[in-house]
Amino acid sequence: MKGSVAVVGGGIAGIQAALDLADSGYKTYLIESKPSIGGVMSQLDKTFPTNDCAMCILSPKLVETARHPNIELLGYSDVKSISGKAGDFNVKVVRKARYVDETKCTGCGTCTEKCPSKVSDEYNAGMSKRKSIYIPFAQAIPRVATIDATHCLFLTKGKCGVCKKVCGPKAVDYEQKDKEIELNVGSVVIATGFKPFDPSILKNYRFDHPDVITSLQFERLLSASGPTQGHVTKQSDGKVPKNVAFIQCVGSRNPRINRKHCSSVCCMYATKESIIAKEHDSELDITIFQIDVRAYGKNFEEFYNRAQKEYGIKYINSRPPEVIVNPDNSLSLKFEDFNTGDLVAKNFDLVVLSIGLDPADSTQALARSSGIALDDFGNIATTIENPVETSVAGIYVCGVAQGPKDIPDTVAQASAAASKAAALLSGERGTLIKERAFPDEKPLSPEPRIGVFVCHCGINIGSVVNVPNVVEYAKTLPGVAHAQEMLYACSSDSQVTIKDAIAKNNLNRVVVASCTPRTHEPLFQNTCREAGLNPYLFELANIREHCSWVHMKEKDKATEKAKAIVQMAVAKSALFQPLYKQKVSLINKAIVLGAGVAGMTAALDIANNGYHVTLIEKEKELGGMLREMTELYDGKRPADVLKDLISKVSANKNIKIMNEAKLLKVEGYLGNFRGVVLANGNEITVDFGAAVVATGARNFEPSGLFNYGSDKRIVTQAQFEKMLGTGVNAKTITMIQCVGARSKEREYCGRTCCVDAVKNAIRIKKANSSANVYVLYRDMRTYGVNEKMYETARDLGVLFIKYDADKPPKVQDSTVVVHDSMMNEDIEITSDLVVLSTPLVAGENEEINQLFKIPLDKNKFFLEAHPKLRPVDFATDGVFLCGSAQAPKLIDEAISQASAAASRACTILSRKFIETEGAISVVNEAKCIGCGTCVTVCPYNAPSLYDATVKVEEVTYTTKKSKINPAACKGCGSCAAACPAGAITAQHFSSKEIGEAIDAFDKGVKSIFIDKGVVEVTV
Amino acid sequence: MSAEAVAATTPAKTDGWEPKIVAFCCNWCSYGGADSAGMGRFQQPASTRIIRVMCSGRIDPLHVFNAFLEGADAVLVTGCHIGDCHYVNGNDKTKIKYKYLENVVRELGIEKERLQLNWISASEGERFANFIRDVTAQIKKLGPSPLKPEGVA
Ligand code: FES
């Protein structure tokens, strides 16, 4: 066994897996074939459904990966083969020649500037040029230049050699050769991602025309770092298009070209790109041609609704057969609107092909060379119960390499794969790792010397706030020794810039004006620490979420406000003092709430990682909702799967099961929680360091809808599922989708209902091919590889009838009348059974959210810390989330999430100690009057009174004084606000510091004139 | 009142005048709500300056007075919904302090619109934006705060 793991692929999946493993005590090799890690996510402008800036959330992860002492990054390297067995693998890696010495290159970019050879830039999807020696993008990791050997003039023709001449550190090396190395690791995680579908094989879509572009190209056009700095223009003439068409399912759901899968993400990215394009240009007319709009994830349906209602984006149910290039070279589409039957021809200035996700060539090659099984679609094969385990023990898979999926599902799977690899190697944990080392802190000189760094955030801030103006203003503020602007303050090169500026200007406080401290404070604090500054000498000024994004139309006012925000941060930071965290021990045990499939999987994974788990279930039986199911999507029996899981859980020595139990109370914090569980009438105390919430959801009861309850022939899909277990005797069965979902009361999509309906429709048809099965749907949302089931159902003769939300079917007794929106006619179906597909709704989450103080979303599901990159974390440290408690999901997704939550919990449980808050409250003994108010106010029992002897002049007396236990204080500051004597300081949020910010809020500068280097400020 | 009379009694300052509002937000909920407003692009007037504290329980009545004395036209005290406080019950204490604050502020002759309390969760971006919009409109009607020091806009 080896305490190391090789992660193949450095996109968001590989990055997350590597970070989890490295944090849990394993040496991790991250192998990426491109010059930089970041994958396709680095090319995205925004992410759905929050329109979060992709680079802004990715960049901290890139930086973290580069910084991590336990991650060894092998960029520009291919994995040739994997041999050996679980615990002991040999990975052959080819380190491709960059012709640049990575250890010498500083990423200064001089070579790139001077290089005369220009080639098409793949980062901008071929829409701009880069040089033959290049750094792929501003935030690239590692930040070193690479020579493109196929185009370099010196390497191809022996001419030029300019880069070598201009390179200061002498990093260019034309003699470099590919080098094969071998890694000996305990486990391998495959995260090789996908290849965007190449639409040139679909000749009818005329991808040869400059104004027919892919969705990835359109994404680059929207991006501030793209070829047009975020302005959507036509490639043919550079003009602004007036109308744009998106054609969906290009390279997806197309058996003719052997692409039978749904790519899972295209409906939402097309919606996102349309919204952003409309934000840039509200006049733009956008039409999306779709077969079904698959808005199945958390908040997707809401996003889709907003796109239509608020942005006026048109969705037309049609699949245009071709793009027509008119004689004048303009473009038009002829299509049949499936909803009206009309044949329409329309001109479009720009046609965007929503391209699908193809399996990566490297995935297939690696699978073949290493004997890993692939599925029918060319993805790495897995099963429902083991969604991250490949056919080779000890090799795991995550992300799109396993099947098309969006970013949060990818991230969850990445953590899941990490959990499995860590469990396999748990005996070797910590054997090959290094501790993080920081330079000594510089002594703090008394005069504040503040550095202000104002971020453009691409165009997220810069297009609204006048950043140079804010910088000039910052320079005039007292204490500011340095101010500058940055394109992306969070990129790795910016960290270097900040560190250099700290050293050069001898800065002792740093203010970054960019985004929210809730996500980005740790990144910059780390940078400060690396530059020898205490992390508490840093302040973020939030000029994005609180300014540029909410004042998009008032540029002047936004700029004024940004100045005020910066000014407040500067004023406050001048008072900052270094603060230190304390190390306290932690309890290396976990609890898991809920023993459904997710809860049991999470418990088992944590236990297999070597930690004790208490599994708390409110019912008598374990198994949750899976107990109600009678068949899985792959035909397996849920009972078998459950039996296996329950026996593993029961046999595991590290797991203690408490059934018919309920968590009553929780106190404490990350690493040191104490809970009280009510079981068998007894209250039992359980101590734990981390918790996983896996309490699931419940089926919606559609009382009153479609006459449910009036006739026993009208049942829910869940009831029908049960009935199918014993066999159903019915000739005609009609299913109605979206019952109680995608409605006014419940806006969200149930995600699983379409897949469930199709599965059960197939079961009926297989049992009795003469049965008539109708599925009345609004959009069939059999996303990803589930599309195969939809196809099978149609092949078996299941009839799918599309209805419109405005004209829902009517159910009387068991007769259904539906208005077929495609045929535009009413159809009457006399049925033996009417099956209503209802969504999952939130369970009793309100009790648990109170216990842990974790938030719920508007549908009462739990709200994760970040919808994209922290799908199983809560904002509250030490508490994690999985399964349908977060939002409805399929079984394999719930299992992936459960393993992910386990992995995240293990990154805590594996620690030797927990660091306390640094910004805690302290008592000034001289001022304390010993009244004890703080003791009553504090919810953590941090302050306590002690007897102190006080000597005032000649008199000595004994009195009470308060002291605060730094390990217990969480830094809320309530005691400081309550202390009548003003004796308590809430450090970092002291009344002085807050006061300075208040004072500064309106020292308002009315205007600044910048005239030939003279700055004039009017107050 | 005639139109002229109305114009005569309305302070000239209210034309195109933007109030200055200080909002105290707790890190875990209402500050997150303001972030969500940004992520959702819920537009709002540029009137507000947010001061982040870890918990609404940190907000000392003195901070509120300080803000008024520095020229705030309104002060907003915000935090997690009752029961959701990240520090168990900091907002319960806020509620108690707020009662007291309200009385003092009223006695000082400040209109009640100028001091407001609101609980906003991290997911309620739209609610945050609406709150700012409403308060700004109310204060615009009232005009500048009577406590505003000389020379502050
Ligand atoms: S943390 Fe929000 S009110 Fe206490």
Side-chain angles (χ1 to χ4, degrees):
Chain A
M1 287 277 172
K2 277 259 156 194
S4 58
V5 182
V7 177
V8 189
I12 186 60
I15 288 172
Q16 183 63 44
L19 284 172
D20 269 17
L21 283 162
D23 281 342
S24 301
Y26 300 93
K27 160 95 193 183
T28 307
Y29 300 93
L30 181 60
I31 307 156
E32 165 60 44
S33 82
K34 297 253 174 65
S36 168
I37 56 170
V40 178
M41 189 173 173
S42 71
Q43 288 177 280
L44 303 183
D45 178 41
K46 299 277 161 64
T47 58
F48 59 78
T50 49
N51 283 356
D52 238 326
C53 152
M55 196 40 102
C56 306
I57 55 176
L58 177 63
S59 194
K61 295 245 178 197
L62 298 178
V63 175
E64 175 72 10
T65 306
R67 268 180 181 165
H68 207 294
N70 300 326
I71 297 179
E72 189 171 327
L73 192 57
L74 305 177
Y76 210 43
S77 302
D78 289 333
V79 173
K80 251 175 89 180
S81 66
I82 306 163
S83 57
K85 60 175 193 323
D88 188 12
F89 286 106
N90 246 319
V91 181
K92 278 208 178 78
V93 180
V94 180
R95 307 220 57 191
K96 292 180 277 191
R98 281 186 199 263
Y99 303 98
V100 171
D101 187 337
E102 270 188 42
T103 57
K104 289 188 188 155
C105 176
T106 61
C108 71
T110 311
C111 54
T112 304
E113 212 174 286
K114 294 280 151 47
C115 172
S117 145
K118 285 189 185 170
V119 298
S120 157
D121 183 358
E122 50 286 86
Y123 181 68
N124 278 330
M127 291 183 300
S128 67
K129 298 267 186 245
R130 64 158 167 81
K131 299 293 184 65
S132 278
I133 185 164
Y134 67 110
I135 296 174
F137 50 96
Q139 299 84 351
I141 299 278
R143 195 176 158 74
V144 292
T146 303
I147 294 182
D148 185 334
T150 51
H151 295 103
C152 168
L153 296 174
F154 188 87
L155 292 174
T156 52
K157 301 197 181 96
K159 288 185 212 147
C160 187
V162 162
C163 51
K164 187 164 184 163
K165 269 179 235 142
V166 299
C167 179
K170 307 229 169 317
V172 175
D173 173 10
Y174 298 128
E175 305 299 311
Q176 214 178 56
K177 295 264 157 358
D178 289 359
K179 213 169 69 193
E180 197 173 298
I181 59 163
E182 260 186 38
L183 304 173
N184 186 216
V185 293
S187 174
V188 180
V189 173
I190 297 178
T192 40
F194 65 96
K195 181 176 74 178
F197 174 76
D198 175 5
S200 50
I201 64 168
L202 291 171
K203 298 273 179 282
N204 46 332
Y205 283 147
R206 296 303 302 266
F207 188 52
D208 54 315
H209 190 284
D211 293 332
V212 179
I213 62 173
T214 68
S215 44
L216 197 56
Q217 289 179 312
F218 194 69
E219 187 92 28
R220 293 309 304 149
L221 286 181
L222 292 170
S223 172
S225 63
T228 53
Q229 287 78 45
H231 301 291
V232 176
T233 50
K234 294 198 287 170
Q235 294 294 291
S236 58
D237 55 10
K239 289 204 181 116
V240 176
K242 292 207 173 52
N243 59 359
V244 177
F246 279 81
I247 302 179
Q248 296 303 104
C249 300
V250 176
S252 308
R253 304 182 69 181
N254 190 346
R256 257 178 304 158
I257 53 165
N258 198 25
R259 302 297 195 290
K260 295 189 177 180
H261 62 280
C262 155
S263 292
S264 292
V265 293
C266 322
C267 286
M268 295 323 290
Y269 74 56
T271 302
K272 168 196 76 180
E273 290 180 2
S274 303
I275 289 180
I276 301 164
K278 282 290 258 190
E279 275 175 1
H280 289 198
D281 174 5
S282 56
E283 304 286 291
L284 194 61
D285 184 80
I286 302 179
T287 310
I288 298 179
F289 292 95
Q290 43 80 21
I291 317 176
D292 296 284
V293 177
R294 295 194 162 164
Y296 58 85
K298 190 166 180 169
N299 280 324
F300 290 7
E301 180 74 15
E302 291 86 337
F303 192 57
Y304 165 45
N305 288 340
R306 280 185 76 183
Q308 296 172 83
K309 283 183 209 133
E310 282 175 38
Y311 292 89
I313 292 154
K314 287 176 265 191
Y315 289 79
I316 291 184
N317 189 213
S318 177
R319 189 174 198 162
E322 59 177 341
V323 174
I324 301 158
V325 178
N326 302 314
D328 65 351
N329 212 28
S330 65
L331 300 172
S332 60
L333 296 178
K334 258 200 205 117
F335 58 91
E336 181 197 345
D337 187 329
F338 296 156
N339 269 352
T340 55
D342 297 346
L343 275 175
V344 190
K346 197 176 166 193
N347 272 41
F348 287 97
D349 293 341
L350 190 63
V351 174
V352 181
L353 307 177
S354 290
I355 50 170
L357 275 43
D358 265 2
D361 301 329
S362 60
T363 311
Q364 311 219 2
L366 186 61
R368 255 174 257 124
S369 69
S370 311
I372 303 165
L374 295 171
D375 68 10
D376 298 350
F377 303 93
N379 307 312
I380 303 271
T382 56
T383 59
I384 291 178
E385 323 83 275
N386 296 309
V388 297
E389 289 174 35
T390 70
S391 62
V392 180
I395 301 184
Y396 307 98
V397 62
C398 58
V400 184
Q402 187 258 355
K405 57 181 66 69
D406 63 4
I407 293 171
D409 288 356
T410 294
V411 171
Q413 250 195 354
S415 286
S419 150
K420 297 289 180 195
L424 171 69
L425 308 174
S426 63
E428 299 296 317
R429 179 192 308 279
T431 51
L432 297 172
I433 57 164
K434 285 197 271 227
E435 293 299 325
R436 229 177 254 246
F438 288 115
D440 285 343
E441 278 181 27
K442 301 196 288 193
L444 196 67
S445 50
E447 274 304 297
R449 292 185 60 79
I450 307 169
V452 181
F453 301 86
V454 188
C455 181
H456 281 267
C457 195
I459 54 169
N460 283 297
I461 295 171
S463 66
V464 177
V465 170
N466 183 335
V467 171
N469 209 325
V470 176
V471 170
E472 285 314 313
Y473 179 60
K475 284 184 183 160
T476 67
L477 296 172
V480 173
H482 173 82
Q484 71 171 94
E485 49 191 283
M486 307 191 113
L487 184 58
Y488 286 103
C490 57
S491 68
S492 67
D493 57 321
S494 291
Q495 307 318 301
V496 177
T497 311
I498 294 173
K499 282 191 268 184
D500 288 349
I502 293 173
K504 203 169 135 233
N505 303 294
N506 197 17
L507 304 177
N508 56 21
R509 308 282 192 292
V510 172
V511 171
V512 172
S514 58
C515 48
T516 172
R518 285 165 48 94
T519 56
H520 280 59
E521 197 173 53
L523 169 78
F524 296 117
Q525 283 188 324
N526 225 323
T527 302
C528 288
R529 188 60 198 85
E530 285 182 353
L533 279 189
N534 182 282
Y536 290 92
L537 300 174
F538 169 78
E539 178 78 351
L540 253 179
N542 185 346
I543 59 167
R544 190 181 72 176
E545 280 84 348
H546 295 186
C547 190
S548 67
W549 277 354
V550 290
H551 312 305
M552 295 168 96
K553 306 226 163 73
E554 299 183 295
K555 298 191 180 177
D556 292 341
K557 283 188 181 164
T559 303
E560 287 313 305
K561 179 167 168 182
K563 285 183 201 165
I565 295 174
V566 169
Q567 181 167 342
M568 288 162 74
V570 165
K572 190 179 167 205
S573 74
L575 293 179
F576 283 164
Q577 291 300 318
L579 298 174
Y580 298 92
K581 298 183 172 186
Q582 300 212 340
K583 290 177 180 173
V584 294
S585 62
L586 78 150
I587 302 158
N588 302 93
K589 295 178 180 173
I591 63 164
V592 174
L593 294 182
V597 113
M600 283 195 284
T601 305
L604 204 53
D605 271 29
I606 297 172
N608 287 340
N609 266 282
Y611 307 106
H612 186 272
V613 187
T614 306
L615 179 59
I616 301 166
E617 167 60 42
K618 67 170 191 286
E619 305 285 332
K620 189 154 181 230
E621 306 276 329
L622 308 186
M625 295 194 76
L626 195 55
R627 282 176 32 228
E628 318 277 305
M629 286 186 87
T630 50
E631 193 176 304
L632 297 183
Y633 313 115
D634 60 357
K636 272 194 214 87
R637 278 171 24 110
D640 297 340
V641 174
L642 260 185
K643 210 173 119 201
D644 182 48
L645 196 55
I646 292 173
S647 71
K648 277 187 193 152
V649 167
S650 320
N652 196 306
K653 285 199 203 69
N654 275 341
I655 300 178
K656 180 173 176 212
I657 302 168
M658 295 176 96
N659 48 355
E660 290 183 282
K662 190 176 162 185
L663 186 64
L664 293 181
K665 219 165 80 188
V666 178
E667 55 190 40
Y669 45 88
L670 165 72
N672 292 286
F673 290 102
R674 165 159 291 186
V676 177
V677 180
L678 178 70
N680 304 319
N682 297 323
E683 289 194 4
I684 303 158
T685 310
V686 184
D687 291 332
F688 55 98
V692 175
V693 177
T695 45
R698 58 186 173 81
N699 281 307
F700 173 64
E701 273 285 313
S703 333
L705 294 176
F706 298 96
N707 273 334
Y708 178 75
S710 70
D711 189 314
K712 63 179 189 319
R713 287 168 297 181
I714 307 173
V715 298
T716 64
Q717 189 71 252
Q719 289 163 337
F720 185 57
E721 167 91 31
K722 255 196 193 160
M723 292 161 68
L724 279 171
T726 47
V728 170
N729 192 3
K731 192 89 194 64
T732 301
I733 294 165
T734 305
M735 298 184 182
I736 303 176
Q737 299 302 104
C738 300
V739 174
R742 303 180 64 190
S743 62
K744 243 200 239 110
E745 300 74 36
R746 235 165 272 97
E747 198 179 353
Y748 65 92
C749 158
R751 184 171 185 139
T752 59
C753 339
C754 279
V755 182
D756 280 332
V758 168
K759 174 192 76 179
N760 288 339
I762 294 174
R763 289 168 79 184
I764 307 164
K765 275 293 200 184
K766 281 198 172 154
N768 172 13
S769 63
S770 67
N772 304 310
V773 186
Y774 297 90
V775 178
L776 316 184
Y777 71 100
R778 288 171 57 190
D779 292 280
M780 278 315 288
R781 292 184 169 172
T782 44
Y783 58 94
V785 294
N786 301 310
E787 179 69 11
K788 190 169 75 179
M789 284 165 55
Y790 183 26
E791 195 193 326
T792 307
R794 278 174 303 176
D795 287 348
L796 288 172
V798 176
L799 293 169
F800 290 86
I801 299 172
K802 194 173 171 99
Y803 75 87
D804 209 75
D806 304 333
K807 288 189 193 141
K810 289 197 182 65
V811 181
Q812 196 44 257
D813 303 324
S814 68
T815 298
V816 183
V817 181
V818 58
H819 184 82
D820 184 331
S821 68
M822 285 176 146
M823 310 304 269
N824 200 11
E825 65 186 19
D826 282 348
I827 300 174
E828 193 180 297
I829 310 165
T830 319
S831 317
D832 303 314
L833 261 182
V834 179
V835 181
L836 308 180
S837 289
T838 61
L840 290 178
V841 290
E844 292 132 26
N845 297 344
E846 264 153 320
E847 288 173 13
I848 298 150
N849 106 298
Q850 293 291 335
L851 290 175
F852 283 104
K853 308 296 167 197
I854 42 185
L856 299 177
D857 64 22
K858 64 172 182 298
N859 299 312
K860 302 275 185 274
F861 290 103
F862 286 106
L863 181 68
E864 61 277 24
H866 189 277
K868 279 288 171 188
L869 296 189
R870 296 182 67 193
V872 300
D873 294 17
F874 279 113
T876 303
D877 291 332
V879 191
F880 304 93
L881 168 67
C882 62
S884 294
Q886 184 251 1
K889 51 187 58 72
L890 299 173
I891 294 160
D892 53 333
E893 294 165 341
I895 292 174
S896 284
Q897 263 207 341
S899 291
S903 172
R904 305 291 303 143
C906 289
T907 61
I908 287 169
L909 300 173
S910 63
R911 293 185 201 167
K912 294 199 189 73
F913 52 82
I914 294 287
E915 283 188 310
T916 59
E917 270 323 309
I920 55 170
S921 296
V922 288
V923 184
N924 178 340
E925 194 183 297
K927 282 193 185 168
C928 175
I929 53 170
C931 67
T933 305
C934 50
V935 179
T936 27
V937 159
C938 180
Y940 304 105
N941 300 324
S944 57
L945 295 179
Y946 64 100
D947 290 323
T949 318
V950 181
K951 217 173 136 187
V952 186
E953 287 166 9
E954 297 299 289
V955 201
T956 307
Y957 62 95
T958 322
T959 178
K960 298 271 182 218
K961 293 279 179 188
S962 163
K963 67 169 191 305
I964 292 175
N965 171 6
C969 176
K970 299 298 291 164
C972 70
S974 286
C975 54
C979 178
I984 301 183
T985 308
Q987 299 182 99
H988 214 63
F989 293 93
S990 69
S991 286
K992 262 207 195 137
E993 284 155 331
I994 294 175
E996 279 304 318
I998 296 172
D999 286 0
F1001 96 95
D1002 196 40
K1003 283 283 183 309
V1005 164
K1006 290 184 196 109
S1007 59
I1008 295 190
F1009 299 103
I1010 304 168
D1011 188 22
K1012 292 186 208 92
V1014 189
V1015 183
E1016 212 183 286
V1017 184
T1018 328
V1019 184
Chain B
M1 239 191 296
S2 72
E4 289 95 303
V6 173
T9 52
T10 316
K13 267 187 171 173
T14 44
D15 302 336
W17 169 77
E18 187 81 63
K20 289 270 159 38
I21 300 169
V22 170
F24 290 97
C25 293
C26 79
N27 183 62
W28 302 96
C29 292
S30 52
Y31 192 94
D35 283 352
S36 299
M39 289 203 274
R41 310 295 190 277
F42 294 113
Q43 302 300 300
Q44 45 188 281
S47 54
T48 307
R49 309 285 180 259
I50 291 177
I51 294 187
R52 181 172 72 112
V53 288
M54 292 313 281
C55 173
S56 71
R58 171 69 194 102
I59 303 163
D60 191 322
L62 287 176
H63 300 150
V64 174
F65 295 130
N66 191 358
F68 277 123
L69 293 176
E70 289 297 337
D73 297 298
V75 178
L76 311 177
V77 175
T78 68
C80 312
H81 287 277
I82 293 295
D84 286 359
C85 170
H86 186 73
Y87 304 100
V88 186
N89 53 12
N91 47 7
D92 288 333
K93 293 163 222 161
T94 310
K95 217 164 117 184
I96 298 168
K97 274 179 279 188
Y98 185 79
K99 281 242 165 68
Y100 152 81
L101 254 175
E102 245 184 342
N103 288 335
V104 179
V105 163
R106 191 119 349 121
E107 260 159 49
L108 285 172
I110 303 175
E111 302 90 332
K112 65 175 196 307
E113 289 84 353
R114 296 194 193 274
L115 177 67
Q116 301 200 25
L117 176 75
N118 206 342
W119 306 133
I120 298 165
S121 86
S123 61
E124 292 172 329
E126 197 165 6
R127 179 182 164 110
F128 186 92
N130 291 341
F131 181 47
I132 299 301
R133 212 174 300 137
D134 293 350
V135 175
T136 307
Q138 290 166 4
I139 303 301
K140 269 198 166 170
K141 261 194 216 137
L142 290 177
S145 157
L147 291 185
K148 205 184 256 301
E150 269 311 293
V152 175

